[in-house]
Amino acid sequence: DAVLVLVGDGPLRAPLAEQAARLQLPEKNLRFAGRVAPGDVSSWLQIADVFTLVSPSEGFPCALAEAMSAGLPAVVSDIPGNRQLIESGQHGLLVPVGDSAAIAAAIVRILEDAPLRVRMSGESRNRVLENYSTAKIADRYEALFQEALQH
């Protein structure tokens, strides 16, 4: 009953569409939303139940932080950039890079376990608010500037 929505665009879109056709995935279960305006991203996040970011490398994963601020539990690659935000089992689930079976199992686990999903949702949002809200970041910059002015 799940619907996979791929938001964004890039060089993998055509191969993914071809793979979906080969697998005969029903259109009702897969949607390629393509590139969306930055202001529309929050709308997509608000209708989601789980967020995935399974890339092999990331700096600071802004997309993950946005998803967490919307209260989404996440399934993410177990890489340093994602571990900055996600503690597996608390805010989402970390999976080995490229392990499609582990990715699928983690997504299904979150979708099928409503209490887990709700708990992770709240903890994800709190993590971002406590560490990356505008007020927190402004305070850090202010402290940095104060320190710089003293030297």
Side-chain angles (χ1 to χ4, degrees):
D1 295 326
V3 177
L4 173 64
V5 179
L6 297 170
V7 178
D9 217 345
L12 293 179
R13 182 176 179 163
L16 287 172
E18 291 169 12
Q19 184 177 11
R22 274 194 314 277
L23 295 172
Q24 299 179 342
L25 296 176
E27 285 186 30
K28 68 178 185 150
N29 297 106
L30 177 62
R31 178 169 179 188
F32 289 90
R35 186 179 185 93
V36 299
D40 294 339
V41 172
S42 64
S43 296
W44 285 102
L45 294 172
Q46 292 298 318
I47 63 170
D49 292 312
V50 63
F51 176 81
T52 62
L53 183 66
V54 293
S55 52
S57 65
E58 293 287 330
F60 180 83
C62 292
L64 176 56
E66 288 178 298
M68 291 173 72
S69 73
L72 287 175
V75 173
V76 299
S77 302
D78 189 0
I79 57 175
N82 293 335
R83 284 192 303 265
Q84 294 178 76
L85 293 171
I86 297 287
E87 289 181 42
S88 200
Q90 186 172 354
H91 311 100
L93 299 172
L94 295 168
V95 295
V97 173
D99 187 339
S100 57
I103 295 165
I107 293 169
V108 169
R109 179 178 171 201
I110 290 173
L111 289 175
E112 289 184 342
D113 189 339
L116 175 70
R117 189 173 60 249
V118 168
R119 181 181 56 76
M120 286 182 174
S121 174
E123 290 185 20
S124 290
R125 181 157 170 76
N126 288 340
R127 174 98 183 227
V128 170
L129 291 176
E130 290 171 2
N131 294 287
Y132 302 100
S133 68
T134 302
K136 291 286 184 182
I137 298 300
D139 288 346
R140 288 183 188 139
Y141 273 119
E142 186 175 315
L144 178 68
F145 295 149
Q146 288 295 332
E147 184 179 329
L149 290 172
Q150 292 174 359
H151 288 88

